[in-house]
Structures are given as C-alpha cells and as structure tokens.
Amino acid sequence: WSDRMLEYALQYKYLSISGATNSGKTDFLATYGIIQWLCDPMNTTCLFTSISLTGSRGRVWGAVEDYWLAAQKQFKDSLPGKLISSVGMIKLDSPDAKASSRCGLHLIAAERRKEQEAIGKLIGLKSPRKFLFADELPELGHSIMEAAVSNLDSPGCIFQAIGTGNP
C-alpha cells in the first residue's frame, strides 16, 4: 500500500488517500513529509494537520517525531533539523544556512472550533516548496482546504496537498 501511495503522491498535486485503520496512511504522510523537507530544507515548509494538538501527537505528528528521532539515531545527529516537540516543529538547525523560521515541519491543529486560528497559520507562507498533509481529513473543516488551495498554491511555487482518512 505504501508503494501505491508513493506512486500516486508523485503523480498528483492533490491526493486523497482512504483506507482501513492501520493501513499505513499516517506513516506514509510522516515519512513522505520528512523526505520532502530533507530534499530542500532551506526552501520547504511541510504542514501537518489533524483534529487537535493532542490527537495529532497520537497520530500524524507522533509518527513524524518517531521517524525523525529514529533517523537522527541512524545518521548520528547529522540531519539538518532540530525537533522542538513542545511546539510541534522541526526547524532548520544548521550553522551554514540561513532560512525563514517558517521553513521546516510544523504541526497545526485544525479542529473545527479553532479553524480560523489554523487558517491564520496556513496563509502567507513564502517558501518556494509547500506541502500540506491533512490527517483525518474527513474530520477537518472545509475552510482548511479552501485556505490551502487559495493561499498556498501560488504561481511559481511547488505545492502539494495530501489528505488521509478512514472511509
């Protein structure tokens, strides 16, 4: 299933993935997002959304942290980022590079009652490569995707949105 998810992710700007519980959707989002950021960390922003901050830490952001920590251990802390778990962020941490603080991997809670706050974090990003990973997409408000499409998908930039959910 991961191979199929990757195949479609490499073909489409907008992708929706649905599948049974424990079919690897969340793990795919986490690893694909980390890899996209590592391809160009100075120019890439990856936004991970889920229902709530607490829920995200048990879902997509928990997977991002687990895979990031495993990669750091494997590569002896030579990765270009620093995990700041308390705020749900992996930011560029390299003495040789200057980057926007907006570049990196970011957790954004997108529960319906905090929709406007989440939208405020989505709009205005200036990085040339932007990715939105919406875990539990059916549970998120429609405004989240509308904001992403109208604000993140701008001319001259690379943008991709992938949403997952159980049918």
Side-chain angles (χ1 to χ4, degrees):
W1 289 341
S2 291
D3 289 342
R4 288 183 72 190
M5 287 184 254
L6 178 60
E7 179 184 336
Y8 289 115
L10 295 173
Q11 288 181 30
Y12 298 101
K13 181 187 259 190
Y14 296 96
L15 179 63
S16 175
I17 301 170
S18 126
T21 300
N22 295 325
S23 60
K25 302 178 303 289
T26 298
D27 285 341
F28 173 75
L29 285 185
T31 55
Y32 184 73
I34 290 169
I35 290 167
Q36 285 294 345
W37 184 69
L38 288 173
C39 287
D40 189 359
M42 289 181 50
N43 295 301
T44 304
T45 303
C46 294
L47 305 169
F48 293 86
T49 69
S50 192
I51 302 166
S52 66
L53 288 177
T54 305
S56 295
R57 292 179 191 283
R59 292 183 179 100
V60 70
W61 191 255
V64 168
E65 286 191 6
D66 288 347
Y67 285 116
W68 183 259
L69 293 172
Q72 276 189 319
K73 184 176 180 181
Q74 178 69 31
F75 295 106
K76 310 290 187 243
D77 295 323
S78 65
L79 296 176
K82 177 180 180 182
L83 171 64
I84 305 171
S85 185
S86 61
V87 294
M89 178 189 329
I90 296 174
K91 70 175 192 166
L92 184 64
D93 185 30
S94 171
D96 303 331
K98 292 183 180 176
S100 165
S101 61
R102 300 289 266 196
C103 291
L105 293 89
H106 302 272
L107 170 60
I108 297 174
E111 58 192 306
R112 290 176 195 237
R113 63 186 171 95
K114 293 187 177 181
E115 223 170 328
Q116 292 306 313
E117 181 181 329
I119 290 169
K121 293 177 181 178
L122 290 173
I123 61 175
L125 293 176
K126 305 292 185 214
S127 57
R129 301 178 74 239
K130 298 175 253 187
F131 296 86
L132 174 64
F133 302 107
D135 196 29
E136 305 294 340
L137 182 61
E139 304 300 318
L140 303 178
H142 295 286
S143 301
I144 299 298
M145 290 309 291
E146 289 173 10
V149 170
S150 62
N151 291 287
L152 296 178
D153 191 2
S154 56
C157 79
I158 295 169
F159 173 74
Q160 184 175 36
I162 301 177
T164 65
N166 297 335

mmCIF file of all heavy atoms in Angstrom, residues 35-65:
data_model
loop_
_atom_site.group_PDB
_atom_site.id
_atom_site.type_symbol
_atom_site.label_atom_id
_atom_site.label_comp_id
_atom_site.label_asym_id
_atom_site.label_seq_id
_atom_site.Cartn_x
_atom_site.Cartn_y
_atom_site.Cartn_z
ATOM 1 N N ILE A 35 10.884 13.329 4.096
ATOM 2 C CA ILE A 35 11.739 13.217 2.911
ATOM 3 C C ILE A 35 11.624 14.458 2.033
ATOM 4 O O ILE A 35 12.642 14.972 1.544
ATOM 5 C CB ILE A 35 11.409 11.930 2.124
ATOM 6 C CG1 ILE A 35 11.864 10.713 2.931
ATOM 7 C CG2 ILE A 35 12.058 11.949 0.745
ATOM 8 C CD1 ILE A 35 11.326 9.392 2.425
ATOM 9 N N GLN A 36 10.418 14.970 1.840
ATOM 10 C CA GLN A 36 10.256 16.186 1.037
ATOM 11 C C GLN A 36 11.037 17.343 1.660
ATOM 12 O O GLN A 36 11.676 18.121 0.962
ATOM 13 C CB GLN A 36 8.771 16.553 0.874
ATOM 14 C CG GLN A 36 8.041 15.675 -0.097
ATOM 15 C CD GLN A 36 8.543 15.842 -1.523
ATOM 16 O OE1 GLN A 36 9.248 16.777 -1.877
ATOM 17 N NE2 GLN A 36 8.177 14.893 -2.368
ATOM 18 N N TRP A 37 10.989 17.470 2.973
ATOM 19 C CA TRP A 37 11.716 18.553 3.629
ATOM 20 C C TRP A 37 13.221 18.355 3.499
ATOM 21 O O TRP A 37 13.963 19.302 3.218
ATOM 22 C CB TRP A 37 11.309 18.673 5.092
ATOM 23 C CG TRP A 37 11.983 19.837 5.752
ATOM 24 C CD1 TRP A 37 11.756 21.160 5.519
ATOM 25 C CD2 TRP A 37 13.028 19.783 6.722
ATOM 26 N NE1 TRP A 37 12.593 21.928 6.291
ATOM 27 C CE2 TRP A 37 13.384 21.113 7.042
ATOM 28 C CE3 TRP A 37 13.691 18.741 7.357
ATOM 29 C CZ2 TRP A 37 14.365 21.424 7.972
ATOM 30 C CZ3 TRP A 37 14.676 19.057 8.284
ATOM 31 C CH2 TRP A 37 14.998 20.382 8.582
ATOM 32 N N LEU A 38 13.690 17.130 3.689
ATOM 33 C CA LEU A 38 15.124 16.861 3.583
ATOM 34 C C LEU A 38 15.664 17.112 2.179
ATOM 35 O O LEU A 38 16.854 17.377 2.019
ATOM 36 C CB LEU A 38 15.436 15.427 4.023
ATOM 37 C CG LEU A 38 15.326 15.164 5.527
ATOM 38 C CD1 LEU A 38 15.485 13.676 5.810
ATOM 39 C CD2 LEU A 38 16.336 15.987 6.312
ATOM 40 N N CYS A 39 14.807 17.049 1.160
ATOM 41 C CA CYS A 39 15.247 17.328 -0.211
ATOM 42 C C CYS A 39 15.721 18.770 -0.372
ATOM 43 O O CYS A 39 16.626 19.040 -1.161
ATOM 44 C CB CYS A 39 14.112 17.070 -1.203
ATOM 45 S SG CYS A 39 13.766 15.324 -1.452
ATOM 46 N N ASP A 40 15.120 19.693 0.372
ATOM 47 C CA ASP A 40 15.480 21.115 0.255
ATOM 48 C C ASP A 40 15.030 21.849 1.526
ATOM 49 O O ASP A 40 14.064 22.607 1.515
ATOM 50 C CB ASP A 40 14.820 21.722 -0.989
ATOM 51 C CG ASP A 40 15.321 23.120 -1.301
ATOM 52 O OD1 ASP A 40 16.172 23.653 -0.549
ATOM 53 O OD2 ASP A 40 14.846 23.701 -2.293
ATOM 54 N N PRO A 41 15.705 21.616 2.641
ATOM 55 C CA PRO A 41 15.231 22.156 3.921
ATOM 56 C C PRO A 41 15.207 23.683 4.022
ATOM 57 O O PRO A 41 14.438 24.229 4.792
ATOM 58 C CB PRO A 41 16.189 21.549 4.952
ATOM 59 C CG PRO A 41 17.384 21.121 4.185
ATOM 60 C CD PRO A 41 16.924 20.824 2.800
ATOM 61 N N MET A 42 16.021 24.363 3.236
ATOM 62 C CA MET A 42 16.030 25.827 3.315
ATOM 63 C C MET A 42 14.844 26.465 2.596
ATOM 64 O O MET A 42 14.565 27.646 2.793
ATOM 65 C CB MET A 42 17.333 26.373 2.726
ATOM 66 C CG MET A 42 18.519 26.095 3.613
ATOM 67 S SD MET A 42 20.057 26.755 2.958
ATOM 68 C CE MET A 42 19.642 28.423 2.576
ATOM 69 N N ASN A 43 14.166 25.697 1.757
ATOM 70 C CA ASN A 43 13.090 26.259 0.948
ATOM 71 C C ASN A 43 11.774 25.505 1.059
ATOM 72 O O ASN A 43 10.884 25.702 0.236
ATOM 73 C CB ASN A 43 13.520 26.271 -0.527
ATOM 74 C CG ASN A 43 14.682 27.194 -0.749
ATOM 75 O OD1 ASN A 43 14.600 28.391 -0.467
ATOM 76 N ND2 ASN A 43 15.785 26.650 -1.226
ATOM 77 N N THR A 44 11.643 24.633 2.045
ATOM 78 C CA THR A 44 10.470 23.767 2.127
ATOM 79 C C THR A 44 9.751 23.934 3.456
ATOM 80 O O THR A 44 10.372 23.942 4.517
ATOM 81 C CB THR A 44 10.873 22.293 1.948
ATOM 82 O OG1 THR A 44 11.563 22.148 0.710
ATOM 83 C CG2 THR A 44 9.658 21.379 1.964
ATOM 84 N N THR A 45 8.429 24.016 3.371
ATOM 85 C CA THR A 45 7.559 24.021 4.543
ATOM 86 C C THR A 45 6.596 22.849 4.406
ATOM 87 O O THR A 45 5.928 22.714 3.389
ATOM 88 C CB THR A 45 6.753 25.323 4.643
ATOM 89 O OG1 THR A 45 7.655 26.422 4.674
ATOM 90 C CG2 THR A 45 5.885 25.335 5.884
ATOM 91 N N CYS A 46 6.550 22.014 5.430
ATOM 92 C CA CYS A 46 5.599 20.910 5.479
ATOM 93 C C CYS A 46 4.677 21.135 6.672
ATOM 94 O O CYS A 46 5.144 21.249 7.803
ATOM 95 C CB CYS A 46 6.325 19.579 5.642
ATOM 96 S SG CYS A 46 7.341 19.116 4.234
ATOM 97 N N LEU A 47 3.402 21.230 6.381
ATOM 98 C CA LEU A 47 2.399 21.460 7.411
ATOM 99 C C LEU A 47 1.607 20.180 7.636
ATOM 100 O O LEU A 47 1.084 19.602 6.689
ATOM 101 C CB LEU A 47 1.455 22.581 6.981
ATOM 102 C CG LEU A 47 2.131 23.899 6.606
ATOM 103 C CD1 LEU A 47 1.143 24.836 5.950
ATOM 104 C CD2 LEU A 47 2.744 24.543 7.840
ATOM 105 N N PHE A 48 1.529 19.754 8.868
ATOM 106 C CA PHE A 48 0.781 18.552 9.225
ATOM 107 C C PHE A 48 -0.415 18.981 10.063
ATOM 108 O O PHE A 48 -0.254 19.661 11.073
ATOM 109 C CB PHE A 48 1.658 17.594 10.036
ATOM 110 C CG PHE A 48 2.788 17.001 9.251
ATOM 111 C CD1 PHE A 48 3.993 17.668 9.123
ATOM 112 C CD2 PHE A 48 2.637 15.776 8.625
ATOM 113 C CE1 PHE A 48 5.045 17.124 8.396
ATOM 114 C CE2 PHE A 48 3.678 15.225 7.890
ATOM 115 C CZ PHE A 48 4.881 15.895 7.779
ATOM 116 N N THR A 49 -1.607 18.608 9.622
ATOM 117 C CA THR A 49 -2.802 18.948 10.379
ATOM 118 C C THR A 49 -3.528 17.686 10.798
ATOM 119 O O THR A 49 -3.453 16.660 10.144
ATOM 120 C CB THR A 49 -3.787 19.817 9.566
ATOM 121 O OG1 THR A 49 -4.349 19.022 8.526
ATOM 122 C CG2 THR A 49 -3.113 21.032 8.994
ATOM 123 N N SER A 50 -4.208 17.809 11.891
ATOM 124 C CA SER A 50 -5.108 16.766 12.351
ATOM 125 C C SER A 50 -6.161 17.446 13.213
ATOM 126 O O SER A 50 -6.196 18.676 13.300
ATOM 127 C CB SER A 50 -4.350 15.677 13.115
ATOM 128 O OG SER A 50 -5.184 14.551 13.320
ATOM 129 N N ILE A 51 -6.971 16.668 13.845
ATOM 130 C CA ILE A 51 -8.132 17.207 14.555
ATOM 131 C C ILE A 51 -7.731 18.144 15.693
ATOM 132 O O ILE A 51 -8.283 19.217 15.832
ATOM 133 C CB ILE A 51 -8.993 16.051 15.087
ATOM 134 C CG1 ILE A 51 -9.421 15.162 13.913
ATOM 135 C CG2 ILE A 51 -10.197 16.560 15.828
ATOM 136 C CD1 ILE A 51 -9.974 13.836 14.328
ATOM 137 N N SER A 52 -6.775 17.749 16.503
ATOM 138 C CA SER A 52 -6.363 18.571 17.647
ATOM 139 C C SER A 52 -4.877 18.336 17.894
ATOM 140 O O SER A 52 -4.290 17.389 17.381
ATOM 141 C CB SER A 52 -7.161 18.194 18.900
ATOM 142 O OG SER A 52 -6.827 16.881 19.299
ATOM 143 N N LEU A 53 -4.280 19.199 18.714
ATOM 144 C CA LEU A 53 -2.866 19.011 19.041
ATOM 145 C C LEU A 53 -2.654 17.682 19.749
ATOM 146 O O LEU A 53 -1.746 16.929 19.416
ATOM 147 C CB LEU A 53 -2.365 20.163 19.913
ATOM 148 C CG LEU A 53 -2.185 21.502 19.215
ATOM 149 C CD1 LEU A 53 -1.753 22.569 20.204
ATOM 150 C CD2 LEU A 53 -1.192 21.403 18.080
ATOM 151 N N THR A 54 -3.507 17.401 20.722
ATOM 152 C CA THR A 54 -3.382 16.148 21.455
ATOM 153 C C THR A 54 -3.591 14.965 20.519
ATOM 154 O O THR A 54 -2.812 14.012 20.526
ATOM 155 C CB THR A 54 -4.405 16.089 22.605
ATOM 156 O OG1 THR A 54 -4.232 17.243 23.423
ATOM 157 C CG2 THR A 54 -4.233 14.838 23.440
ATOM 158 N N GLY A 55 -4.608 15.039 19.691
ATOM 159 C CA GLY A 55 -4.881 13.964 18.745
ATOM 160 C C GLY A 55 -3.760 13.788 17.743
ATOM 161 O O GLY A 55 -3.407 12.668 17.369
ATOM 162 N N SER A 56 -3.177 14.893 17.290
ATOM 163 C CA SER A 56 -2.090 14.837 16.313
ATOM 164 C C SER A 56 -0.864 14.150 16.881
ATOM 165 O O SER A 56 -0.164 13.430 16.181
ATOM 166 C CB SER A 56 -1.704 16.248 15.872
ATOM 167 O OG SER A 56 -2.771 16.838 15.187
ATOM 168 N N ARG A 57 -0.603 14.394 18.135
ATOM 169 C CA ARG A 57 0.572 13.772 18.757
ATOM 170 C C ARG A 57 0.403 12.253 18.846
ATOM 171 O O ARG A 57 1.381 11.522 18.850
ATOM 172 C CB ARG A 57 0.836 14.382 20.122
ATOM 173 C CG ARG A 57 1.289 15.821 20.002
ATOM 174 C CD ARG A 57 1.537 16.459 21.364
ATOM 175 N NE ARG A 57 1.724 17.884 21.256
ATOM 176 C CZ ARG A 57 2.827 18.472 20.830
ATOM 177 N NH1 ARG A 57 3.841 17.753 20.456
ATOM 178 N NH2 ARG A 57 2.912 19.789 20.775
ATOM 179 N N GLY A 58 -0.824 11.782 18.885
ATOM 180 C CA GLY A 58 -1.084 10.348 18.879
ATOM 181 C C GLY A 58 -1.259 9.797 17.479
ATOM 182 O O GLY A 58 -1.393 8.594 17.291
ATOM 183 N N ARG A 59 -1.269 10.685 16.502
ATOM 184 C CA ARG A 59 -1.469 10.267 15.116
ATOM 185 C C ARG A 59 -0.272 10.714 14.274
ATOM 186 O O ARG A 59 0.827 10.238 14.438
ATOM 187 C CB ARG A 59 -2.772 10.867 14.584
ATOM 188 C CG ARG A 59 -4.014 10.302 15.239
ATOM 189 C CD ARG A 59 -5.273 10.909 14.602
ATOM 190 N NE ARG A 59 -6.482 10.370 15.189
ATOM 191 C CZ ARG A 59 -7.205 10.993 16.109
ATOM 192 N NH1 ARG A 59 -6.846 12.179 16.557
ATOM 193 N NH2 ARG A 59 -8.296 10.436 16.584
ATOM 194 N N VAL A 60 -0.520 11.669 13.381
ATOM 195 C CA VAL A 60 0.488 12.022 12.383
ATOM 196 C C VAL A 60 1.731 12.653 13.004
ATOM 197 O O VAL A 60 2.852 12.310 12.635
ATOM 198 C CB VAL A 60 -0.108 12.898 11.261
ATOM 199 C CG1 VAL A 60 -0.463 14.289 11.745
ATOM 200 C CG2 VAL A 60 0.825 12.956 10.075
ATOM 201 N N TRP A 61 1.575 13.582 13.926
ATOM 202 C CA TRP A 61 2.771 14.215 14.472
ATOM 203 C C TRP A 61 3.570 13.246 15.337
ATOM 204 O O TRP A 61 4.807 13.298 15.372
ATOM 205 C CB TRP A 61 2.447 15.491 15.247
ATOM 206 C CG TRP A 61 3.709 16.238 15.553
ATOM 207 C CD1 TRP A 61 4.347 16.320 16.752
ATOM 208 C CD2 TRP A 61 4.538 16.945 14.613
ATOM 209 N NE1 TRP A 61 5.510 17.046 16.625
ATOM 210 C CE2 TRP A 61 5.642 17.448 15.316
ATOM 211 C CE3 TRP A 61 4.436 17.204 13.255
ATOM 212 C CZ2 TRP A 61 6.649 18.181 14.713
ATOM 213 C CZ3 TRP A 61 5.440 17.945 12.652
ATOM 214 C CH2 TRP A 61 6.526 18.430 13.380
ATOM 215 N N GLY A 62 2.907 12.333 16.005
ATOM 216 C CA GLY A 62 3.615 11.296 16.752
ATOM 217 C C GLY A 62 4.474 10.451 15.829
ATOM 218 O O GLY A 62 5.618 10.116 16.153
ATOM 219 N N ALA A 63 3.943 10.134 14.643
ATOM 220 C CA ALA A 63 4.717 9.373 13.657
ATOM 221 C C ALA A 63 5.891 10.196 13.132
ATOM 222 O O ALA A 63 6.995 9.669 12.956
ATOM 223 C CB ALA A 63 3.816 8.926 12.510
ATOM 224 N N VAL A 64 5.675 11.492 12.878
ATOM 225 C CA VAL A 64 6.765 12.362 12.415
ATOM 226 C C VAL A 64 7.892 12.360 13.451
ATOM 227 O O VAL A 64 9.066 12.174 13.106
ATOM 228 C CB VAL A 64 6.268 13.808 12.155
ATOM 229 C CG1 VAL A 64 7.440 14.770 11.967
ATOM 230 C CG2 VAL A 64 5.335 13.855 10.955
ATOM 231 N N GLU A 65 7.541 12.552 14.708
ATOM 232 C CA GLU A 65 8.567 12.570 15.753
ATOM 233 C C GLU A 65 9.288 11.230 15.852
ATOM 234 O O GLU A 65 10.516 11.193 15.963
ATOM 235 C CB GLU A 65 7.955 12.949 17.103
ATOM 236 C CG GLU A 65 7.609 14.413 17.209
ATOM 237 C CD GLU A 65 7.264 14.844 18.627
ATOM 238 O OE1 GLU A 65 7.403 14.034 19.582
ATOM 239 O OE2 GLU A 65 6.862 16.005 18.787
#
